[in-house]
Amino acid sequence: MLSYVVIIICLSHAILISGSPPIVLWHGMGDSCCNPLSLGTIIKLLKRQLPGPYILSLRIGSNIVEDTSNGFFMNVNHQIDYVCKLLNSDENLSQGYHAIGFSQGGQFLRAIAQRCPNPPMLNLISIGGQHQGVFGFPRCPGDNETICNYIRDLLRFGAYESFVQNHLVQAEYWHDPHKEATYRKASIFLADINQEQTFNEAYKTNLLKIRNLILVKFLRDTMVTPHESEHFGFYEENNTSKIIPLRESSLYLNDLLGLKIMDEQSRIKFLESDTDHLQFTDQWFIDNIIPYLQD
Ligand SMILES: *[C@@H]1O[C@H](CO)[C@@H](O)[C@H](O)[C@H]1NC(C)=O
Ligand SMILES: *[C@@H]1O[C@H](CO)[C@@H](O)[C@H](O)[C@H]1NC(C)=O
Ligand SMILES: *[C@@H]1O[C@H](CO)[C@@H](O)[C@H](O)[C@H]1NC(C)=O
Ligand SMILES: *[C@@H]1O[C@H](CO)[C@@H](O)[C@H](O)[C@H]1NC(C)=O
């Protein structure tokens, strides 16, 4: 009888540890949680390559249409709160999870790491995320010119007007190198998570809790200007001919987010793909990303 019980315990323990850690995905602009052609493909790939992880593809809102529209028009700070509650209440994530953000989902998940340390994030993988923001809106995802033109009009009208800040996601990481002072004061999202307003000690403490930060930059990106932002690089103030890379930025030199510490411990992985925005192959993903999801 005793050995029977022991076997049962061993078996159930084996089942508990057999899967790889859970994975949380945050889609990009113009996309949704559940598009079979985008994140659907990724989810299938993850299931083929890993032993049965629990996968949560974030849906911001109560259906796919809302989710897509919220990627343009729902205040990012409210999205972060919404997702934090969702992660908190998901019992399957309580032991920790890996996070993969696509495009703007990359900087949004970094905000989750900084503001929402429970449940614990393990590796943070940012695929084409704009960590220093964007200055330009050259192309529209999903090819909806109506939405695209509307967003351009709003950004032109005044990205740092409080009405635009509160209602347009892309304005909340709009970074105008000719208006650094205004950006710092008015940006309700990016300037906050990048410690350019008041210094928030918890942002640094919390980000340092993750194991690794994996940053993917697309070398032929026609969607993100400048694409160096995907590795935390950005234009020099008042000079769009010059890029200041992460290691020369004040964010890094003053170590406001712990990035210098992480880098010195080789916990930041600077990956590149020689393609356009998010245009990687299955094999590239298997070779470069899957290793960070295995344990
Ligand atoms: C937790 O994972 C199990 C197994 O994958 C699943 O059946 C269950 O619905 C998940 N719970 C939540 C809250 O999603
Ligand atoms: C583009 O978006 C607008 C506003 O949401 C919508 O009314 C229109 O049907 C969309 N057009 C296409 C081609 O999807
Ligand atoms: C950048 O230009 C603005 C506006 O012309 C000016 O106020 C600011 O001092 C300049 N910054 C630097 C570092 O030159
Ligand atoms: C802007 O940067 C470029 C490239 O480093 C440099 O040649 C140029 O002098 C800079 N312009 C100003 C106004 O500082």
Side-chain angles (χ1 to χ4, degrees), residues 33-104:
C33 59
C34 309
N35 181 345
L37 298 178
S38 59
L39 289 210
T41 317
I42 299 288
I43 292 168
K44 274 195 207 137
L45 185 57
L46 291 170
K47 286 185 173 159
R48 273 203 307 273
Q49 296 295 322
L50 295 163
Y54 170 68
I55 300 173
L56 174 65
S57 183
L58 293 167
R59 188 187 68 206
I60 318 299
S62 47
N63 55 56
I64 291 177
V65 175
E66 253 183 62
D67 185 23
T68 309
S69 149
N70 284 338
F72 294 105
F73 304 121
M74 180 178 173
N75 182 310
V76 179
N77 293 322
H78 300 167
Q79 297 194 45
I80 303 299
D81 289 346
Y82 178 90
V83 169
C84 185
K85 288 203 185 81
L86 209 66
L87 302 180
N88 266 234
S89 63
D90 189 328
E91 61 199 12
N92 286 335
L93 301 177
S94 62
Q95 300 304 304
Y97 64 93
H98 293 309
I100 312 179
F102 296 87
S103 199
Q104 67 184 15

Side-chain angles (χ1 to χ4, degrees), residues 34-276:
C34 309
N35 181 345
L37 298 178
S38 59
L39 289 210
T41 317
I42 299 288
I43 292 168
K44 274 195 207 137
L45 185 57
L46 291 170
K47 286 185 173 159
R48 273 203 307 273
Q49 296 295 322
L50 295 163
Y54 170 68
I55 300 173
L56 174 65
S57 183
L58 293 167
R59 188 187 68 206
I60 318 299
S62 47
N63 55 56
I64 291 177
V65 175
E66 253 183 62
D67 185 23
T68 309
S69 149
N70 284 338
F72 294 105
F73 304 121
M74 180 178 173
N75 182 310
V76 179
N77 293 322
H78 300 167
Q79 297 194 45
I80 303 299
D81 289 346
Y82 178 90
V83 169
C84 185
K85 288 203 185 81
L86 209 66
L87 302 180
N88 266 234
S89 63
D90 189 328
E91 61 199 12
N92 286 335
L93 301 177
S94 62
Q95 300 304 304
Y97 64 93
H98 293 309
I100 312 179
F102 296 87
S103 199
Q104 67 184 15
Q107 62 265 33
F108 298 171
L109 280 168
R110 175 162 64 87
I112 289 288
Q114 293 176 204
R115 292 180 186 170
C116 182
N118 296 306
M121 190 185 286
L122 307 173
N123 286 328
L124 169 54
I125 300 168
S126 160
I127 303 188
Q130 301 100 46
H131 295 278
Q132 283 291 358
V134 295
F135 183 51
F137 198 70
R139 220 153 56 71
C140 222
D143 297 320
N144 188 326
E145 279 303 318
T146 313
I147 287 193
C148 203
N149 290 333
Y150 179 65
I151 291 174
R152 282 206 193 93
D153 285 348
L154 277 175
L155 291 170
R156 243 196 313 270
F157 165 75
Y160 299 124
E161 298 292 329
S162 73
F163 169 80
V164 180
Q165 280 289 312
N166 286 305
H167 294 95
L168 179 64
V169 166
Q170 288 68 40
E172 295 162 26
Y173 56 84
W174 186 256
H175 189 168
D176 185 337
H178 305 294
K179 293 182 183 162
E180 281 287 343
T182 312
Y183 153 76
R184 279 191 193 144
K185 219 163 50 201
S187 165
I188 63 165
F189 174 70
L190 190 69
D192 175 69
I193 63 162
N194 284 356
Q195 305 275 44
E196 294 173 294
Q197 294 170 339
T198 52
F199 174 71
N200 188 332
E201 182 74 46
Y203 284 0
K204 180 175 177 176
T205 318
N206 289 338
L207 192 60
L208 277 166
K209 286 178 186 160
I210 69 169
R211 289 184 197 159
N212 297 292
L213 173 60
I214 294 96
L215 299 170
V216 179
K217 175 169 83 171
F218 292 94
L219 299 179
R220 299 175 199 229
D221 204 313
T222 58
M223 184 92 81
V224 173
T225 332
H227 68 274
E228 287 85 351
S229 182
E230 297 168 1
H231 276 180
F232 274 92
F234 203 68
Y235 299 122
E236 181 176 64
E237 183 169 354
N238 295 340
N239 192 350
T240 52
S241 306
K242 186 167 180 190
I243 295 284
I244 308 287
L246 171 64
R247 289 179 180 132
E248 291 166 29
S249 68
S250 63
L251 177 66
Y252 184 93
L253 296 172
N254 299 320
D255 212 11
L256 302 173
L257 278 178
L259 294 173
K260 186 162 185 277
I261 298 174
M262 289 178 81
D263 189 31
E264 284 165 359
Q265 296 172 344
S266 302
R267 289 158 63 199
I268 308 184
K269 316 293 179 186
F270 297 94
L271 307 186
E272 292 175 344
S273 170
D274 191 21
T275 52
D276 199 352

